[in-house]
Amino acid sequence: MQKLFFEVGGLDRRCVERFGLSEDILMENAASGLKRAIEDRFKKGSSVLIVCGSGNNGGDGIALGRMLQSTFKVRLFLYKEPKSAVSKLQLQRAKALNIEIVDEIKECDIVVDALFGSGFAGGLDEGVCSILQTMNRLEGYKIACDVPSGIDKNGNTSSVVFRADLTVTMGALKEYLHTDRAKTNTVHIRDTERRKTRE
């Protein structure tokens, strides 16, 4: 039996406070888990579009782009500029490697949703809804970083939700990904800590 957690913010805080791990290290680990999930499923040279929000979920996506850029065709779409210091640092690193940053969402082999993470609450504005609708129309394989955008911590869904073929959730399996409302948008869930797929 696998443990489900209502929230994992406490686990993150424990990593920082008790074990001295920085936010940067946690972000690198999250991106590494996503990278393994992609490498397990796709051949080198596949095209990857990573759609990033302004929070740490977006920072995970930017870090992922940096990790994949030597073996995959990576493009970053930034919905908004990063807000946190660690996400700004990830963007600085990505720009130093000249990773392509695009202003349009186009077809690709893999599309990664890194817009919102487990801290999402409330509704989505029209701009985000339009982006999610465009992402959902793409034919490529769809991967959600931590939580498909549009699902909140109680398992409630917004008017538009990213329809993930795979959800790579960070730290631990989250209870709200298994609610009746959410589970049709999460499909397969992979816990980065255990590296097991429920497929």
Side-chain angles (χ1 to χ4, degrees):
M1 178 180 290
Q2 293 178 314
K3 292 182 179 180
L4 299 180
F5 288 75
F6 178 71
E7 63 88 27
V8 296
L11 298 178
D12 287 347
R13 287 190 295 275
R14 186 181 181 203
C15 286
V16 173
E17 295 167 5
R18 181 172 177 181
F19 301 108
L21 300 180
S22 66
E23 274 193 302
D24 191 26
I25 290 175
L26 296 179
M27 189 169 283
E28 291 290 307
N29 286 341
S32 180
L34 285 161
K35 174 178 177 281
R36 287 193 301 268
I38 290 172
E39 290 177 335
D40 286 349
R41 290 166 172 78
F42 295 92
K43 62 183 180 181
K44 293 179 180 180
S46 299
S47 58
V48 184
L49 173 67
I50 307 170
V51 181
C52 304
S54 60
N56 282 356
N57 194 257
D60 293 345
I62 296 169
L64 170 66
R66 189 193 77 243
M67 292 180 182
L68 292 177
Q69 62 87 26
S70 63
T71 50
F72 289 81
K73 298 174 183 176
V74 175
R75 289 174 288 157
L76 296 177
F77 177 94
L78 306 179
Y79 172 61
K80 290 183 179 178
E81 288 291 313
K83 293 188 298 187
S84 70
V86 68
S87 295
K88 290 177 181 178
L89 177 59
Q90 292 293 357
L91 182 57
Q92 181 182 335
R93 291 168 177 166
K95 287 182 175 179
L97 292 173
N98 295 315
I99 294 175
E100 184 178 5
I101 298 174
V102 298
D103 57 10
E104 191 175 357
I105 295 173
K106 293 184 177 180
E107 283 293 345
C108 54
D109 298 316
I110 309 146
V111 57
V112 178
D113 165 27
L115 281 167
F116 301 100
S118 57
F120 172 73
L124 300 173
D125 62 36
E126 289 185 10
V128 175
C129 286
S130 177
I131 287 173
L132 288 175
Q133 288 168 341
T134 301
M135 292 165 69
N136 284 337
R137 285 195 294 268
L138 297 178
E139 294 182 3
Y141 190 85
K142 298 173 178 63
I143 298 177
C145 172
D146 200 25
V147 180
S149 292
I151 299 175
D152 70 16
K153 64 181 180 180
N154 295 310
N156 298 314
T157 56
S158 300
S159 57
V160 183
V161 177
F162 181 70
R163 295 196 299 268
D165 297 306
L166 173 70
T167 298
V168 181
T169 191
M170 308 308 168
L173 293 175
K174 297 168 179 69
E175 181 179 298
Y176 53 83
L177 293 177
H178 299 272
T179 65
D180 287 339
R181 295 181 299 276
K183 65 186 179 183
T184 57
N185 298 290
T186 56
V187 192
H188 305 305
I189 303 174
R190 173 173 175 161
D191 177 357
T192 56
E193 292 299 310
R194 298 177 180 83
R195 296 187 63 188
K196 293 179 180 177
T197 49
R198 298 183 55 191
E199 297 186 57

